Amino acid sequence: MNNTSSRRKPLVVLTAAALLASLAAAGTAGAGGRSLADRMATEVTGANAGVHLAALADLTAANGGHRVSGSPGYEASADYLTKKLQRAGYVVKRQPFTFPDYRIDAETVAETAPQSRTLHPQIARFSVSTPDTGLTSPLAVPSGKSTGCTADDYAGTDVKGKVVLVNVGDCFITQKQLVLGGLGASAMLMNAGSPNAALNLRYRMVPPEDARIPTATLPRGEAEQLQADLATGAVTLKLDLRGGAITTTTYNLIADTPTGRADNTVVMGAHLDSVDTTPGLNDNGAAAAMVLETALRLAPHAGEVRNRVRFAWWAAEEKGLAGSQFYVDQLTAEQRKQTALYLNLEMIGSPNFLRQVYNGQTATGPAPAGSEQISQLVTGFFADRKLPTSGLVLDGRSDHSAFVNAGIAAGGVNAGSDALKTAEQVALFGGTEGQMLDPCYHQACDTLANVNRTIFDQNGRAMAWAIGRFAVSTADINGVG
């Protein structure tokens, strides 16, 4: 990882005259007395972006039911975006790359005693495989803390040769299976923690070379039933979890405005791919459609664009943020300096939403200089419309990560994924306490019906406003008018 603190861009202190010039440049008195930012916030709507979202839904359904990178669903969706962008006058480029991937050969778990039940596991990417004939073993659980992150969690419990069931939380799945591998366990299952029995998360080993034992997740309902069975007596499981490392080729889509300074580029992006268990209309078709609609609406205003805007649709976000990381890795040192900021759209239509704005902070401290200013401006957009917001750290769960690690200012919006909504959040945003922000996260039910059209529209307008503003001036971020 790059050291973000060593690459932060200093903010420029503007004189009063320079500030006035910057505000004028930002289009505060543009066509019809309205700034480009305000016009973009009016022209970009959830209804118009919804047309693209519906098209992505149809294309996904007709091509395997998902948009995994390299799949027919991804290809068909990328072709749709390309045609729309080209008709609007954009030159669309494909940025091909390869990434380490994982082939799934077998993915079954069954309880054989005290009862016979078929379970629904999902093998962790890069997991060690069971033997070709499968693995039959007794079940065990931690004697101490149920998340099983340390050897102390198994004090007094013999897990050697057993399948161990742990709960989600406290540490990554990689750490949990490393501990169990050291204790001689034969395999690990993890309660994915979702209240919805259909949910399963395709976790991955990070790094892949840390894989020690066969590992998979189970839906919460199935995991809790196993724990209940074990409380009354011995439980035996049969596992067949097999896969292997492969290399997949895919591409990012990139489209630039024909006008604007290339040495002060503003980037807006969203990942186009989904996981293999879902059509992914909220994660992340909604954001991909909104970025498209923003690009199409900006095109007629090319004469007002003073900083080049680059629209990007990332591949392989669900495979470890591979697409956005590749993009940033290909930038030269000079090109990184010439990237003014990055705006990220992630899951912008969650049904049990929070109106979350990335807050300019990372898990360990401030994000690169300018990130907090982006947060303040976007939060201000919502506040002006009397729409409450909450902050969200720039964590490692979406495509902003590579930009932040490279010292590039970043911000954006996210309506939420697998976190459970609190009573305090219900009081602020409405919705259902104790339910996931997106109850269909990574599930087959992430269809058009799963997208909340109100927050979809609000998030889209906020980001369109930000693009209109930064296309004219980034003085608030890096001092460039």
Side-chain angles (χ1 to χ4, degrees), residues 208-262:
E209 55 266 26
D210 279 346
R212 296 290 185 273
I213 57 177
T215 299
T217 59
L218 289 176
R220 176 176 168 178
E222 294 181 359
E224 290 179 347
Q225 184 60 56
L226 286 178
Q227 291 164 341
D229 289 349
L230 188 63
T232 62
V235 173
T236 303
L237 299 178
K238 182 173 182 179
L239 289 70
D240 189 4
L241 301 170
R242 289 177 287 119
I246 58 174
T247 298
T248 296
T249 299
T250 186
Y251 54 87
N252 299 319
L253 277 184
I254 297 172
D256 292 342
T257 54
T259 55
R261 296 176 52 169

Coordinates of all heavy atoms in Angstrom, one line a residue, residues 208-262:
P208 N -3.8 -14.8 -0.8 CA -4.2 -16.2 -1.1 C -3.2 -17.2 -0.5 O -3.6 -18.3 -0.1 CB -4.2 -16.3 -2.6 CG -4.5 -14.9 -3.1 CD -3.8 -14.0 -2.0
E209 N -1.9 -16.9 -0.4 CA -1.0 -17.8 0.2 C -1.2 -18.1 1.6 O -0.5 -19.0 2.2 CB 0.5 -17.3 -0.1 CG 0.8 -16.0 0.4 CD 0.6 -14.9 -0.6 OE1 -0.2 -15.1 -1.5 OE2 1.3 -13.8 -0.5
D210 N -2.0 -17.4 2.3 CA -2.3 -17.7 3.7 C -3.4 -18.7 3.9 O -3.7 -19.1 5.0 CB -2.8 -16.4 4.4 CG -1.7 -15.5 4.8 OD1 -0.5 -16.0 4.8 OD2 -1.9 -14.3 5.1
A211 N -3.9 -19.3 2.8 CA -5.0 -20.3 2.9 C -4.3 -21.6 3.5 O -3.3 -22.0 3.1 CB -5.5 -20.6 1.5
R212 N -5.0 -22.1 4.5 CA -4.5 -23.3 5.2 C -5.4 -24.5 5.2 O -5.0 -25.6 5.1 CB -4.2 -22.9 6.7 CG -3.1 -21.9 6.9 CD -1.7 -22.4 6.5 NE -0.7 -21.5 6.8 CZ -0.3 -20.5 6.0 NH1 -0.8 -20.4 4.8 NH2 0.7 -19.7 6.4
I213 N -6.7 -24.3 5.4 CA -7.7 -25.4 5.5 C -8.9 -25.0 4.6 O -9.2 -23.8 4.4 CB -8.1 -25.6 6.9 CG1 -8.7 -24.4 7.6 CG2 -6.9 -26.2 7.7 CD1 -9.2 -24.6 9.0
P214 N -9.7 -26.0 4.2 CA -10.9 -25.7 3.5 C -11.8 -24.8 4.3 O -12.1 -25.0 5.5 CB -11.6 -27.1 3.3 CG -10.4 -28.0 3.3 CD -9.5 -27.5 4.3
T215 N -12.4 -23.8 3.6 CA -13.1 -22.7 4.3 C -14.3 -22.3 3.5 O -14.2 -22.1 2.3 CB -12.2 -21.5 4.6 OG1 -11.1 -21.9 5.4 CG2 -13.0 -20.4 5.3
A216 N -15.4 -22.1 4.1 CA -16.6 -21.6 3.5 C -17.5 -20.9 4.5 O -17.3 -21.0 5.7 CB -17.4 -22.8 2.8
T217 N -18.5 -20.2 4.0 CA -19.5 -19.5 4.8 C -20.8 -20.2 4.7 O -21.1 -20.9 3.7 CB -19.7 -18.0 4.5 OG1 -20.1 -17.9 3.1 CG2 -18.4 -17.3 4.6
L218 N -21.7 -20.1 5.7 CA -23.0 -20.6 5.7 C -24.0 -19.4 6.0 O -23.6 -18.5 6.8 CB -23.2 -21.7 6.8 CG -22.5 -23.0 6.6 CD1 -22.8 -23.9 7.8 CD2 -23.1 -23.7 5.3
P219 N -25.2 -19.5 5.5 CA -26.2 -18.5 5.9 C -26.5 -18.6 7.4 O -26.3 -19.7 8.0 CB -27.5 -18.9 5.1 CG -26.9 -19.7 4.0 CD -25.7 -20.4 4.5
R220 N -26.9 -17.5 8.0 CA -27.1 -17.4 9.5 C -28.0 -18.5 10.0 O -27.7 -19.2 11.0 CB -27.6 -16.1 9.8 CG -27.9 -15.9 11.3 CD -28.3 -14.4 11.6 NE -28.9 -14.3 12.9 CZ -29.3 -13.1 13.4 NH1 -29.1 -12.0 12.6 NH2 -29.8 -13.0 14.6
G221 N -29.2 -18.7 9.3 CA -30.1 -19.7 9.8 C -29.6 -21.1 9.9 O -29.8 -21.8 10.8
E222 N -28.8 -21.5 8.8 CA -28.2 -22.8 8.8 C -27.1 -23.0 9.9 O -27.0 -24.0 10.5 CB -27.7 -23.1 7.4 CG -28.8 -23.2 6.4 CD -28.2 -23.5 5.0 OE1 -27.0 -23.7 4.8 OE2 -29.0 -23.6 4.1
A223 N -26.3 -21.9 10.1 CA -25.3 -22.0 11.1 C -25.9 -22.1 12.5 O -25.4 -22.9 13.3 CB -24.4 -20.7 10.9
E224 N -26.9 -21.3 12.7 CA -27.5 -21.3 14.0 C -28.2 -22.7 14.3 O -28.2 -23.2 15.5 CB -28.5 -20.2 14.2 CG -27.8 -18.8 14.3 CD -28.8 -17.7 14.4 OE1 -30.0 -17.9 14.2 OE2 -28.3 -16.6 14.7
Q225 N -28.7 -23.3 13.3 CA -29.3 -24.7 13.5 C -28.2 -25.7 13.9 O -28.4 -26.5 14.7 CB -30.0 -25.1 12.2 CG -30.8 -26.4 12.4 CD -31.8 -26.4 13.5 OE1 -32.7 -25.6 13.5 NE2 -31.7 -27.3 14.5
L226 N -27.1 -25.6 13.2 CA -26.0 -26.5 13.5 C -25.5 -26.3 15.0 O -25.2 -27.2 15.7 CB -24.8 -26.2 12.6 CG -24.9 -26.8 11.2 CD1 -23.6 -26.4 10.4 CD2 -25.1 -28.3 11.2
Q227 N -25.4 -25.0 15.4 CA -25.0 -24.7 16.8 C -26.0 -25.3 17.8 O -25.6 -25.8 18.8 CB -24.9 -23.2 16.9 CG -23.7 -22.6 16.2 CD -23.7 -21.1 16.0 OE1 -24.8 -20.5 16.1 NE2 -22.6 -20.5 15.7
A228 N -27.3 -25.2 17.4 CA -28.3 -25.7 18.3 C -28.3 -27.3 18.3 O -28.4 -27.9 19.4 CB -29.7 -25.3 17.8
D229 N -28.0 -27.9 17.2 CA -27.9 -29.4 17.2 C -26.7 -29.8 18.0 O -26.7 -30.8 18.8 CB -27.7 -29.8 15.8 CG -28.9 -29.7 14.9 OD1 -30.0 -29.5 15.5 OD2 -28.8 -29.9 13.7
L230 N -25.6 -29.0 17.9 CA -24.4 -29.4 18.7 C -24.6 -29.2 20.2 O -24.0 -30.0 21.0 CB -23.2 -28.5 18.2 CG -21.8 -28.9 18.8 CD1 -21.4 -30.3 18.3 CD2 -20.8 -27.9 18.3
A231 N -25.4 -28.3 20.6 CA -25.7 -28.1 22.0 C -26.4 -29.3 22.6 O -26.4 -29.5 23.9 CB -26.6 -26.9 22.2
T232 N -27.0 -30.2 21.8 CA -27.7 -31.4 22.3 C -27.0 -32.7 22.1 O -27.4 -33.7 22.6 CB -29.1 -31.5 21.7 OG1 -29.0 -31.7 20.3 CG2 -29.9 -30.2 22.0
G233 N -25.8 -32.6 21.4 CA -25.1 -33.8 21.1 C -24.1 -33.7 19.9 O -24.0 -32.6 19.4
A234 N -23.5 -34.8 19.5 CA -22.5 -34.7 18.5 C -23.1 -34.5 17.1 O -24.3 -34.9 16.9 CB -21.7 -36.0 18.4
V235 N -22.4 -33.7 16.3 CA -22.9 -33.4 14.9 C -21.8 -33.8 14.0 O -20.6 -33.5 14.2 CB -23.2 -31.9 14.7 CG1 -23.5 -31.6 13.3 CG2 -24.3 -31.5 15.6
T236 N -22.2 -34.5 12.9 CA -21.2 -34.9 11.8 C -21.6 -34.2 10.5 O -22.7 -34.1 10.1 CB -21.2 -36.4 11.6 OG1 -20.9 -37.0 12.9 CG2 -20.1 -36.8 10.6
L237 N -20.5 -33.7 9.8 CA -20.7 -33.1 8.5 C -19.9 -33.7 7.5 O -18.8 -34.3 7.7 CB -20.3 -31.6 8.6 CG -21.0 -30.7 9.6 CD1 -20.4 -29.3 9.6 CD2 -22.5 -30.6 9.4
K238 N -20.4 -33.7 6.2 CA -19.7 -34.1 5.1 C -19.5 -32.9 4.2 O -20.5 -32.2 3.8 CB -20.3 -35.2 4.3 CG -19.5 -35.7 3.1 CD -20.1 -36.9 2.4 CE -19.2 -37.4 1.3 NZ -19.7 -38.6 0.6
L239 N -18.3 -32.6 3.8 CA -17.9 -31.4 3.0 C -17.3 -31.8 1.7 O -16.5 -32.7 1.7 CB -16.9 -30.5 3.8 CG -17.4 -29.7 5.0 CD1 -17.7 -30.6 6.2 CD2 -16.4 -28.6 5.3
D240 N -17.7 -31.1 0.7 CA -17.0 -31.2 -0.6 C -16.8 -29.8 -1.1 O -17.7 -29.2 -1.7 CB -17.8 -32.0 -1.6 CG -17.0 -32.3 -2.9 OD1 -15.8 -32.0 -3.0 OD2 -17.6 -32.9 -3.8
L241 N -15.6 -29.3 -0.8 CA -15.3 -27.9 -1.2 C -14.0 -27.9 -2.0 O -12.9 -28.1 -1.4 CB -15.1 -27.0 0.1 CG -16.3 -27.0 1.1 CD1 -15.9 -26.3 2.4 CD2 -17.5 -26.2 0.4
R242 N -14.1 -27.7 -3.3 CA -13.0 -27.7 -4.1 C -12.9 -26.6 -5.1 O -14.0 -26.2 -5.7 CB -12.9 -29.1 -4.8 CG -12.6 -30.3 -3.9 CD -12.6 -31.6 -4.7 NE -14.0 -32.0 -5.0 CZ -14.5 -32.2 -6.2 NH1 -13.7 -32.0 -7.3 NH2 -15.7 -32.6 -6.4
G243 N -11.8 -26.1 -5.4 CA -11.6 -25.0 -6.4 C -10.1 -24.9 -6.7 O -9.3 -25.6 -6.2
G244 N -9.8 -23.9 -7.5 CA -8.4 -23.7 -7.9 C -8.2 -22.3 -8.4 O -9.1 -21.7 -8.9
A245 N -6.9 -21.9 -8.3 CA -6.5 -20.5 -8.8 C -6.5 -20.5 -10.3 O -6.0 -21.4 -11.0 CB -5.2 -20.2 -8.2
I246 N -7.1 -19.4 -10.9 CA -7.0 -19.2 -12.3 C -6.7 -17.7 -12.6 O -6.6 -16.9 -11.6 CB -8.3 -19.6 -13.0 CG1 -9.5 -18.7 -12.4 CG2 -8.6 -21.0 -12.9 CD1 -10.8 -18.9 -13.1
T247 N -6.5 -17.4 -13.8 CA -6.3 -16.0 -14.2 C -7.4 -15.5 -15.1 O -7.7 -16.2 -16.1 CB -5.0 -15.8 -14.9 OG1 -3.9 -16.1 -14.0 CG2 -4.8 -14.3 -15.3
T248 N -8.1 -14.4 -14.8 CA -9.2 -13.9 -15.6 C -8.8 -12.6 -16.3 O -8.1 -11.8 -15.7 CB -10.4 -13.7 -14.7 OG1 -10.9 -15.0 -14.2 CG2 -11.6 -13.1 -15.5
T249 N -9.2 -12.5 -17.5 CA -9.0 -11.2 -18.3 C -10.3 -10.5 -18.4 O -11.3 -11.0 -18.7 CB -8.5 -11.5 -19.7 OG1 -7.2 -12.2 -19.5 CG2 -8.2 -10.2 -20.5
T250 N -10.3 -9.2 -18.1 CA -11.4 -8.3 -18.2 C -11.0 -6.9 -18.6 O -9.9 -6.7 -19.0 CB -12.3 -8.4 -16.9 OG1 -13.5 -7.7 -17.1 CG2 -11.5 -7.8 -15.7
Y251 N -11.8 -5.9 -18.4 CA -11.4 -4.5 -18.7 C -12.3 -3.5 -17.9 O -13.5 -3.8 -17.6 CB -11.6 -4.3 -20.2 CG -12.9 -4.6 -20.8 CD1 -13.9 -3.7 -20.8 CD2 -13.2 -5.9 -21.3 CE1 -15.2 -4.0 -21.3 CE2 -14.4 -6.2 -21.8 CZ -15.4 -5.2 -21.8 OH -16.7 -5.5 -22.4
N252 N -11.7 -2.4 -17.7 CA -12.4 -1.2 -17.2 C -12.9 -0.4 -18.5 O -12.3 -0.5 -19.5 CB -11.5 -0.3 -16.4 CG -11.0 -0.9 -15.2 OD1 -11.7 -1.6 -14.5 ND2 -9.7 -0.7 -14.8
L253 N -14.0 0.3 -18.3 CA -14.5 1.3 -19.4 C -14.1 2.7 -18.9 O -14.4 3.1 -17.8 CB -16.0 1.1 -19.6 CG -16.5 0.1 -20.5 CD1 -18.0 0.2 -20.6 CD2 -15.9 0.1 -21.8
I254 N -13.6 3.5 -19.8 CA -13.2 4.9 -19.5 C -13.7 5.8 -20.6 O -13.5 5.5 -21.8 CB -11.7 5.0 -19.3 CG1 -11.2 4.1 -18.1 CG2 -11.3 6.4 -19.1 CD1 -9.7 4.0 -18.0
A255 N -14.3 6.9 -20.2 CA -14.7 7.9 -21.2 C -14.4 9.3 -20.7 O -14.8 9.6 -19.5 CB -16.2 7.8 -21.5
D256 N -13.7 10.1 -21.5 CA -13.3 11.4 -21.1 C -14.1 12.5 -21.8 O -14.5 12.3 -23.0 CB -11.8 11.7 -21.5 CG -10.9 10.9 -20.6 OD1 -11.3 10.3 -19.6 OD2 -9.7 10.7 -21.1
T257 N -14.4 13.6 -21.1 CA -14.9 14.8 -21.8 C -13.9 15.3 -22.8 O -12.7 15.2 -22.6 CB -15.3 15.9 -20.8 OG1 -14.1 16.2 -20.1 CG2 -16.4 15.5 -19.9
P258 N -14.4 15.8 -24.0 CA -13.5 16.2 -25.0 C -12.8 17.6 -24.7 O -11.9 18.0 -25.3 CB -14.4 16.4 -26.3 CG -15.7 16.6 -25.7 CD -15.8 15.8 -24.4
T259 N -13.4 18.2 -23.7 CA -12.8 19.5 -23.2 C -12.4 19.5 -21.8 O -12.7 18.5 -21.1 CB -13.9 20.6 -23.4 OG1 -15.1 20.2 -22.6 CG2 -14.3 20.8 -24.8
G260 N -11.6 20.5 -21.4 CA -11.2 20.5 -20.0 C -9.7 20.2 -19.9 O -9.1 19.5 -20.7
R261 N -9.1 20.7 -18.8 CA -7.7 20.5 -18.6 C -7.4 19.1 -18.2 O -7.8 18.5 -17.2 CB -7.2 21.4 -17.4 CG -7.3 22.9 -17.7 CD -7.0 23.7 -16.4 NE -5.6 23.3 -15.9 CZ -5.0 24.0 -15.0 NH1 -5.6 25.1 -14.5 NH2 -3.8 23.6 -14.5
A262 N -6.5 18.5 -19.0 CA -6.1 17.1 -18.7 C -5.2 17.0 -17.5 O -5.0 16.0 -16.9 CB -5.4 16.5 -19.9

